[in-house]
């Protein structure tokens, strides 16, 4: 028994050393890359076994994804930019009860398959990644080999990786806190900025080791050095991913609990901006702080997520216009996670549950693209500029560009959206001006004719009385 315990401790020691090295000098050793390549081979083996044991596709009741996409393209649902429902004719003459059927059909389709809530659910994987929480078909029990692989993977993730990742996370938080306090001791100046940049990237890279983060950065010649950087939002670790490569000042909603530790530590070292979204006065001050920060070339670029909510990494929701009202350079950044290794999307109710899911995943893998800087054109509104930047990010990341406000998942529809639909429907019930004028003229002629006939009758009656 003692020999078994010694073997277990040696395994823990070796894995812990490997994770420490992965968290510090992984760029030189390539340990995380090799780990990802090993996982890809494991997934390939599992997929071959699944395809061999799985019944034909027709019996699964699956639908072709291309067919559903084509059908959605041919039958779009009403939105703010396209409020017209299908089945509404352009040449309506007056109102008929059956004219509302097009909107009723579109409304029922929106309830069954809406364009908002499905993007706030975990992404469905095309292949199984040996995680039972991403599998609703019982793939792990299709064959003896798959069952053994899944069971061994479960033990490795929960009994080896999870405890050691928690140790690295605690060490990383303590190291991060100590380094930010150290930076805060120095007076403002070039040395403090240099020290903050070096320790900022190192500490975040160390903490990322607790998630086995593997991030690939593309087009690094466009890395921002000042101004405003905007990115699509999938999870709270978006900032962690970007901070492993470049130093940023953050803008975001104030949080309590675990996230507040990072916020307080960051505020000691640099000019981060935290605000309370529910406070209108607090939100109004953010624009002025952004403007002052963006025009100060000595400060790091400020990082903003204009969506304001986490989306499941398959689409980009509407960007808020606040950051785009500032007259400065905007640096777009596209982030796309590979959900095969672990889903970084934050859909859980509790943050600790979210952290546990990530730490018991195989790894967190993503690609980051730095897009060329963009400026607001002459005469271009902040909303149009925001939509242009959003389209660039969505195209680069291979995601769907949506016009919907992400806050619709938790808040009622805005009155302006309802009014837009009502106005669009009213347009198809209006009678042409010429026909309306002709009808009024005919009504007036009828009234005049009736009046003349009435006067003639009165005259005839008076004549008869005189006779």
């Amino acid at each position: 028994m003692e020999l078994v315990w010694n073997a277990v401790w040696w395994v823990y020691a070796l894995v812990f050393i490997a994770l420490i090295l992965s968290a510090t000098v992984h760029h030189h050793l390539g340990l995380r890359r090799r780990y990802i390549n090993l996982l890809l081979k494991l997934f390939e083996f599992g997929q071959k076994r699944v395809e061999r044991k799985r019944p034909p596709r027709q019996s699964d009741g699956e639908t072709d994804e291309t067919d559903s996409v084509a059908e959605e393209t041919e039958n779009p649902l009403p939105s703010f930019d396209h409020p017209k429902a299908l089945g509404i004719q352009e040449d309506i003459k007056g109102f008929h009860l059956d004219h509302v059927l097009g909107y009723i059909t579109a409304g029922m389709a929106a309830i069954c398959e809406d364009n908002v809530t499905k993007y706030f659910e975990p992404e469905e994987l095309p292949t199984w990644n040996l995680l039972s929480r991403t599998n609703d078909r019982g793939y792990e029990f299709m064959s003896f080999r798959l069952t053994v692989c899944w069971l061994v993977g479960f033990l490795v993730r929960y009994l080896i990786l999870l405890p050691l990742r928690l140790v690295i996370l605690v060490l990383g938080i303590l190291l991060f806190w100590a380094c930010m306090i150290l930076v805060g001791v120095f007076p403002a100046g070039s040395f403090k900025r240099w020290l903050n940049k070096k320790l900022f990237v190192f500490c975040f890279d160390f903490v990322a080791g607790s998630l086995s983060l593997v991030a690939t950065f593309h087009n690094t010649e466009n890395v921002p050095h000042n101004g405003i950087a905007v990115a699509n939002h999938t999870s709270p670790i978006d900032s962690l991913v970007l901070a492993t490569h470049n130093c940023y000042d953050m803008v975001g909603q104030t949080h309590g609990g675990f996230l507040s530790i990072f916020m307080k530590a960051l505020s000691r070292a640099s000019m981060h901006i935290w605000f309370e979204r529910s406070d209108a006065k607090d939100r109004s001050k953010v624009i002025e702080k952004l403007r002052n920060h963006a025009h100060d070339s000595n400060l790091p670029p400020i990082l903003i997520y204009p969506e304001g909510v986490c989306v499941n990494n398959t689409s980009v929701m509407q960007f808020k216009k606040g950051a785009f009202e500032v007259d400065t350079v905007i640096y777009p950044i596209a982030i796309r996670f590979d959900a095969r290794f672990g889903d970084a999307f934050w859909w859980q109710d509790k943050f600790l549950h979210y952290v546990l899911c990530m730490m018991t995943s195989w790894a967190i893998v993503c690609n980051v693209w730095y897009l060329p800087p963009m400026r607001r054109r002459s005469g271009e509104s902040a909303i149009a500029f925001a939509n242009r930047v959003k389209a660039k990010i969505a195209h680069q990341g291979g995601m769907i560009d949506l016009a919907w406000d992400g806050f619709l998942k938790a808040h009622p529809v805005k009155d302006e959206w309802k009014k837009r639909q009502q106005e669009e429907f009213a347009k198809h019930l209006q009678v042409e001006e010429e026909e309306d004028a002709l009808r009024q003229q005919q009504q007036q002629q009828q009234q005049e004719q009736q009046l003349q006939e009435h006067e003639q009758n009165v005259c005839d009656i008076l004549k008869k009385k005189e006779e």
Side-chain angles (χ1 to χ4, degrees):
M1 192 65 182
E2 183 179 357
L3 182 62
V4 175
W5 279 111
N6 290 334
V8 171
W9 281 113
W10 273 108
V11 171
Y12 266 87
L14 292 176
V15 176
F16 179 73
I17 293 173
L19 289 177
I20 288 292
L21 292 175
S22 176
T24 52
V25 292
H26 66 91
H27 296 291
H28 304 285
L29 299 179
L31 295 178
R32 297 185 192 174
R33 295 287 179 183
R34 293 172 184 173
Y35 172 61
I36 293 302
N37 292 334
L38 178 62
L39 288 176
L40 289 175
K41 293 180 181 179
L42 180 62
F43 295 162
E44 183 180 359
F45 166 78
Q47 183 60 24
K48 289 180 179 179
R49 302 298 299 181
V50 169
E51 292 295 337
R52 187 179 305 173
K53 297 290 184 178
R54 187 167 57 180
R57 183 171 181 175
Q58 287 76 9
S59 61
D60 290 345
E62 295 181 355
T63 56
D64 190 355
E65 183 179 357
T66 57
D67 293 342
S68 61
V69 173
E71 183 179 355
E72 183 176 354
T73 305
E74 295 175 359
N75 302 300
L77 299 177
S79 65
F80 184 74
D81 292 335
H82 306 283
K84 181 185 175 182
L86 297 176
I88 301 298
Q89 302 176 0
E90 296 290 348
D91 56 348
I92 294 179
K93 309 302 183 182
F95 173 76
H96 298 283
L97 186 59
D98 59 348
H99 292 161
V100 301
L101 295 179
Y103 276 86
I104 293 176
T105 303
M108 294 176 65
I111 294 174
C112 297
E113 185 69 21
D114 66 87
N115 288 346
V116 179
T117 56
K118 68 180 180 180
Y119 296 108
F120 294 101
E121 298 175 354
E123 181 182 0
E124 184 177 352
L125 298 179
T127 59
W128 184 44
N129 61 358
L130 276 72
L131 297 177
S132 58
R133 59 176 174 264
T134 61
N135 166 36
D136 58 354
R137 304 179 184 224
Y139 287 152
E140 66 267 37
F141 304 116
M142 295 184 75
S143 71
F144 177 76
R145 292 183 181 181
L146 281 181
T147 302
V148 172
C149 289
W150 173 79
L151 183 59
V152 172
F154 178 86
L155 296 176
V156 168
R157 288 186 292 109
Y158 279 89
L159 299 184
I160 297 179
L161 293 181
L162 177 59
L164 296 176
R165 285 173 173 175
L166 287 174
V167 172
I168 292 179
L169 178 62
V170 173
L171 292 177
I173 292 176
L174 294 177
L175 177 64
F176 179 82
W177 185 270
C179 290
M180 293 301 102
I181 291 178
L182 176 63
V183 174
V185 171
F186 292 92
S190 58
F191 177 76
K192 181 177 181 179
R193 292 192 296 269
W194 175 84
L195 184 63
N196 175 59
K197 182 176 180 180
K198 296 297 182 182
L199 293 180
F200 184 90
V201 175
F202 171 76
C203 291
F204 271 102
D205 200 19
F206 190 94
V207 174
S210 64
L211 303 176
S212 299
L213 174 67
V214 179
T216 304
F217 296 90
H218 307 274
N219 306 326
T220 55
E221 67 276 7
N222 298 323
V223 173
H225 300 288
N226 50 49
I228 297 178
V230 298
N232 57 299
H233 201 20
T234 302
S235 73
I237 68 167
D238 293 339
S239 299
L240 173 66
V241 172
L242 297 177
T244 60
H245 188 255
N246 190 32
C247 180
Y248 297 93
D249 281 350
M250 311 288 182
V251 176
Q253 166 78 22
T254 55
H255 291 278
F258 184 76
L259 289 177
S260 65
I261 298 176
F262 283 93
M263 291 183 172
K264 292 178 181 178
L266 287 169
S267 299
R268 292 177 177 269
S270 191
M271 303 295 294
H272 302 273
I273 303 175
W274 314 119
F275 64 95
E276 181 59 47
R277 185 174 284 114
S278 59
D279 189 351
K281 295 182 180 179
D282 209 10
R283 294 200 310 268
S284 62
K285 295 178 182 178
V286 172
I287 301 298
E288 186 63 28
K289 291 180 180 179
L290 280 176
R291 185 177 290 106
N292 296 334
H293 192 290
H295 289 100
D296 191 342
S297 59
N298 294 323
L299 295 177
I302 194 157
L303 181 60
I304 301 175
Y305 303 102
E307 286 173 291
V309 294
C310 296
V311 188
N312 72 352
N313 205 49
T314 61
S315 64
V316 183
M317 293 285 182
Q318 182 188 77
F319 278 8
K320 299 293 183 291
K321 65 177 182 179
F324 302 92
E325 292 178 334
V326 181
D327 185 18
T328 187
V329 179
I330 298 293
Y331 293 88
I333 302 176
I335 308 174
R336 185 71 186 268
F337 289 91
D338 192 338
R340 291 177 299 172
F341 305 92
D343 195 355
F345 173 53
W346 185 11
W347 58 269
Q348 296 85 349
D349 295 330
K350 301 295 182 180
F351 184 72
L352 290 179
H353 183 202
Y354 167 70
V355 175
L356 180 63
C357 285
M358 286 197 301
M359 286 196 165
T360 55
S361 297
W362 296 111
I364 299 298
V365 181
C366 68
N367 285 278
V368 178
W369 293 270
Y370 294 107
L371 279 67
M374 302 175 66
R375 267 194 174 275
R376 188 173 169 183
R377 296 170 181 169
S378 177
E380 187 178 29
S381 66
I383 296 178
F385 184 31
N387 291 334
R388 186 159 59 91
V389 173
K390 176 170 67 75
K392 289 285 186 180
I393 292 175
H395 175 74
Q396 181 62 71
M399 294 170 283
I400 302 173
D401 183 9
L402 297 176
W404 296 105
D405 186 355
F407 287 96
L408 284 174
K409 73 171 184 176
H411 300 285
V413 180
K414 297 180 181 179
D415 291 336
E416 59 179 303
W417 287 57
K418 297 179 182 179
K419 185 177 180 181
R420 179 75 179 274
Q421 296 283 349
Q422 294 169 353
E423 290 177 350
E424 180 66 23
F425 184 60
K427 289 179 182 179
H428 302 287
L429 300 180
Q430 292 178 355
V431 182
E432 295 182 3
E433 295 182 358
E434 295 181 358
E435 295 181 357
D436 191 16
L438 180 61
R439 185 179 293 107
Q440 291 180 358
Q441 183 177 1
Q442 291 177 351
Q443 291 177 352
Q444 291 179 356
Q445 292 177 355
Q446 290 178 357
Q447 291 177 355
E448 291 177 357
Q449 184 177 0
Q450 291 177 355
L451 182 60
Q452 292 177 358
E453 291 177 354
H454 179 69
E455 291 178 351
Q456 184 64 35
N457 292 334
V458 171
C459 292
D460 292 342
I461 292 172
L462 292 176
K463 289 180 179 180
K464 290 180 179 180
K465 287 183 177 181
E466 290 177 356
E467 294 175 356

